[in-house]
Amino acid sequence: MKNSDRLPQSHKNPMFRTLIKKIFGNEKDSARRVGDQKSERARENHHPDFERADEYPYDHYTGAVEDIKHLKRERRHEEAKELLLWCIDFTENQAQREYELDGHAIVAPWYYKHLAIVYRKDDRFGDEVDILERYVETMNDLGETPKDELVNRLERARELASG
């Protein structure tokens, strides 16, 4: 005997099944809603002072790495730029909180570097200089030494921007 043979006649009706799915959703939708609720709780619990946390569906800026790589590969630079700026704001917010608690923190340089790469590919040298200067200034404000790779990139970006 199949499972469908055990159901009452009304449950075999396609219209009835469609109505039930509309009311309750299917299992995947339910799981997605539970996952969304967990993500929202995680954002509220871990990053209550990051006002922009709800702009993207990531619990942490590190969750955006693969999407950033994908956007860059597809040359969707404007979308990549917006997501990278969100990640940079997030890492700076987190670093500021850690610094206030411990007197020590750093920001994640990967996001600044990849935004600088996007800007250079689009010949936006002034914007590249601005984001790299932001990185250096943030690291200095935290009492840390900026990565040589990004300092060197900043020097090159200044050359490109000036001429």
Side-chain angles (χ1 to χ4, degrees):
M1 179 181 263
K2 295 189 292 189
N3 284 339
S4 62
D5 292 340
R6 293 184 198 154
L7 294 173
Q9 192 62 34
S10 63
H11 289 86
K12 293 178 188 177
N13 182 326
M15 288 177 61
F16 176 79
R17 287 182 164 203
T18 302
L19 178 63
I20 294 300
K21 282 184 181 178
K22 282 184 179 180
I23 294 171
F24 297 105
N26 59 32
E27 289 178 29
K28 290 179 184 176
D29 289 339
S30 297
R32 190 176 304 117
R33 281 193 300 273
V34 168
D36 290 347
Q37 291 168 351
K38 286 181 182 177
S39 295
E40 187 161 328
R41 278 196 305 277
R43 276 194 291 279
E44 289 171 0
N45 293 336
H46 294 104
H47 312 290
D49 57 342
F50 181 52
E51 294 174 2
R52 296 182 57 207
D54 62 347
E55 289 180 23
Y56 288 94
Y58 310 105
D59 292 337
H60 194 259
Y61 59 85
T62 55
V65 169
E66 291 306 313
D67 288 340
I68 291 166
K69 289 177 182 178
H70 178 77
L71 291 168
K72 284 176 59 185
R73 269 193 306 273
E74 291 191 348
R75 298 187 188 283
R76 293 165 54 190
H77 289 179
E78 192 59 32
E79 292 170 82
K81 179 195 83 150
E82 293 301 322
L83 182 51
L84 283 159
L85 284 170
W86 179 84
C87 291
I88 289 168
D89 288 346
F90 201 137
T91 188
E92 288 176 355
N93 177 272
Q94 181 177 333
Q96 186 60 43
R97 283 186 298 120
E98 289 173 8
Y99 185 77
E100 290 168 2
L101 291 172
D102 303 338
H104 165 275
I106 61 169
V107 291
W110 189 90
Y111 303 91
Y112 297 88
K113 175 185 174 183
H114 284 270
L115 184 52
I117 290 168
V118 167
Y119 284 147
R120 187 173 295 179
K121 284 185 177 190
D122 289 343
D123 296 330
R124 294 173 61 179
F125 306 119
D127 291 329
E128 181 181 3
V129 168
D130 291 344
I131 198 62
L132 293 170
E133 285 179 343
R134 178 175 168 178
Y135 166 73
V136 169
E137 183 178 322
T138 301
M139 289 295 284
N140 289 335
D141 289 348
L142 295 170
E144 300 293 333
T145 304
K147 289 197 168 283
D148 289 340
E149 176 186 8
L150 294 181
V151 172
N152 294 338
R153 185 176 189 96
L154 173 57
E155 290 171 15
R156 177 68 180 136
R158 285 180 176 147
E159 291 171 11
L160 292 169
S162 68

